[in-house]
Amino acid sequence: GFRHVGQTDKAPLSKSLLLVPSALSLLLALLLPHCQKLFVYDLQAVKNDFQIWRLICGRIICLDLKDTFCSSLLIYNFRIFERRYGSRKFASFLLGSWVLSALFDFLLIEAMQYFFGITAASNLPSGFLAPVFALFVPFYCSIPRVQVAQILGPLSITNKTLIYILGLQLFTSGSYIWIVAISGLMSGLCYDSKMFQVHQVLCIPSWMAKFFSWTLEPIFSSSEPTSEARIGMGATLDIQRQQRMELLDRQLMFSQFAQGRRQRQQQGGMINWNRLFPPLRQRQNVNYQGGRQSEPAAPPLEVSEEQVARLMEMGFSRGDALEALRASNNDLNVATNFLLQH
């Protein structure tokens, strides 16, 4: 495979796609503007002048910095698929959708010319955009929808809302980018549904996966700092960092609890701290009890296996899911927000 055991959470391919095309786009825009013409996605030149190389150069680097920014954010959020399926399968999906979308671009351009007389072959946006739109297919089909907040009656904000808003922003960033978007969605649907067995034809060979594993992982996988003490038994550096963030969050909760308790004593009001900070209820000591004996420690909270499974379907590890659900008193929405924000 493209990754080794222990590389699950590092997503080297997603990091490389986040950094390299963005850096090249900035380089072209700021230092080499005279070279931008070589990366224009011009299907008219491909068709009439046989500039086949434009199918590659014109579909890798975004010439519009707004497109670069939006697509980079989306690739960063879609790294969940690399963590779930592995880098080789993730790379195969990107390759397959990238190749198929070029064919769909041609078909859509010809259909627009034939039926509506609209010539858009020279106005398509450049960049690695079609595979980004293609990733919305597995995102829609396989990532559970968890409500975060309710607004305006039937409308609600979910854990997927921001990603769809970013996709809509990218979709509306240019006059003809909708052609690339539709091509990407169609190619993603074909690859994800294994139509015509394209997933077996358009895939990354094992020797290439091993080569990129050897080259990309040392560059885009974080090395473990030696000056930091290990916390817990995390299998990867990301999990250990997650645990450190959780400890910092708990320290912040303690300070907020103390402040809220003082306000409650001054105002005589009743605040449901057990609902806001459930773990703290179990950890009150003599300092917070005003010198009285602390309450006996509560038994560990029973966690719903169904909610653990839902979080694991979203790409989180079982350990992180259990910790988040215990900290949130089995509130799936709060646990999901906590995991997504760290």
Side-chain angles (χ1 to χ4, degrees):
F2 186 86
R3 64 179 178 180
H4 304 297
V5 176
Q7 299 292 341
T8 305
D9 293 329
K10 295 188 177 181
L13 179 59
S14 299
K15 291 180 181 178
S16 63
L17 289 175
L18 171 68
L19 298 175
V20 175
S22 301
L24 292 176
S25 295
L26 286 172
L27 181 66
L28 283 175
L30 301 178
L31 301 179
L32 302 170
H34 57 282
C35 296
Q36 286 188 343
K37 61 184 179 181
L38 299 176
F39 297 91
V40 173
Y41 185 30
D42 189 348
L43 286 182
Q44 196 71 34
V46 174
K47 180 181 177 182
N48 296 340
D49 303 329
F50 298 103
Q51 296 181 3
I52 308 298
W53 52 271
R54 288 194 181 275
L55 289 174
I56 299 176
C57 295
R59 305 178 70 239
I60 293 179
I61 303 175
C62 290
L63 298 182
D64 189 322
L65 293 181
K66 297 191 302 294
D67 292 350
T68 302
F69 178 73
C70 286
S71 60
S72 297
L73 284 177
L74 287 169
I75 287 173
Y76 177 75
N77 281 280
F78 287 143
R79 74 194 185 283
I80 185 174
F81 295 112
E82 184 175 5
R83 292 175 171 175
R84 177 185 295 187
Y85 302 124
S87 298
R88 182 184 176 188
K89 189 173 181 180
F90 182 66
S92 296
F93 180 92
L94 294 178
L95 173 66
S97 58
W98 188 73
V99 173
L100 287 174
S101 60
L103 174 62
F104 288 128
D105 284 346
F106 264 111
L107 294 177
L108 286 173
I109 289 294
E110 292 299 320
M112 287 180 59
Q113 177 70 36
Y114 181 80
F115 291 106
F116 305 105
I118 299 176
T119 302
S122 301
N123 299 307
L124 294 179
S126 302
F128 195 72
L129 300 175
V132 174
F133 285 109
L135 284 167
F136 275 98
V137 174
F139 180 74
Y140 175 80
C141 297
S142 63
I143 301 299
R145 179 179 177 270
V146 179
Q147 180 176 316
V148 175
Q150 190 81 22
I151 57 171
L152 300 178
L155 298 179
S156 61
I157 298 176
T158 73
N159 56 315
K160 303 166 75 171
T161 301
L162 178 61
I163 310 301
Y164 288 131
I165 291 176
L166 277 175
L168 183 62
Q169 170 66 31
L170 188 59
F171 183 83
T172 57
S173 64
S175 301
Y176 293 102
I177 196 171
W178 62 267
I179 297 177
V180 175
I182 292 176
S183 297
L185 292 172
M186 291 170 63
S187 62
L189 190 60
C190 288
Y191 201 94
D192 195 56
S193 61
K194 301 180 180 179
M195 192 179 299
F196 308 121
Q197 301 298 310
V198 292
H199 67 288
Q200 295 182 356
V201 179
L202 299 173
C203 65
I204 301 295
S206 58
W207 63 267
M208 186 179 296
K210 292 177 181 177
F211 172 76
F212 283 110
S213 173
W214 179 70
T215 55
L216 287 183
E217 284 181 3
I219 300 174
F220 294 102
S221 294
S222 303
S223 58
E224 185 171 356
T226 56
S227 60
E228 296 183 24
R230 288 180 175 271
I231 298 179
M233 296 297 292
T236 66
L237 179 60
D238 287 345
I239 293 177
Q240 293 171 4
R241 286 176 175 168
Q242 171 80 19
Q243 292 170 337
R244 293 187 184 99
M245 291 301 298
E246 288 171 0
L247 289 178
L248 291 174
D249 284 348
R250 286 172 185 164
Q251 292 173 2
L252 178 61
M253 285 180 180
F254 273 114
S255 65
Q256 291 174 336
F257 175 81
Q259 180 181 0
R261 185 175 177 82
R262 287 193 298 269
Q263 292 176 355
R264 183 180 65 177
Q265 291 173 345
Q266 293 171 1
Q267 300 173 2
M270 297 300 294
I271 301 177
N272 187 3
W273 288 107
N274 189 52
R275 176 68 184 88
L276 293 177
F277 305 113
L280 302 179
R281 231 6 225 179
Q282 305 166 8
R283 298 184 177 208
Q284 292 176 2
N285 52 33
V286 292
N287 294 329
Y288 292 136
Q289 294 295 330
R292 291 184 287 111
Q293 185 68 27
S294 63
E295 298 177 1
L301 180 68
E302 290 293 329
V303 176
S304 168
E305 284 298 325
E306 179 183 356
Q307 293 182 343
V308 172
R310 292 194 67 181
L311 289 174
M312 290 177 68
E313 286 177 358
M314 298 170 65
F316 303 113
S317 69
R318 178 177 176 82
D320 289 345
L322 287 170
E323 181 69 23
L325 287 169
R326 289 194 183 108
S328 63
N329 199 24
N330 262 332
D331 190 319
L332 184 61
N333 291 337
V334 175
T336 304
N337 286 338
F338 182 82
L339 290 170
L340 290 175
Q341 291 171 7
H342 298 85

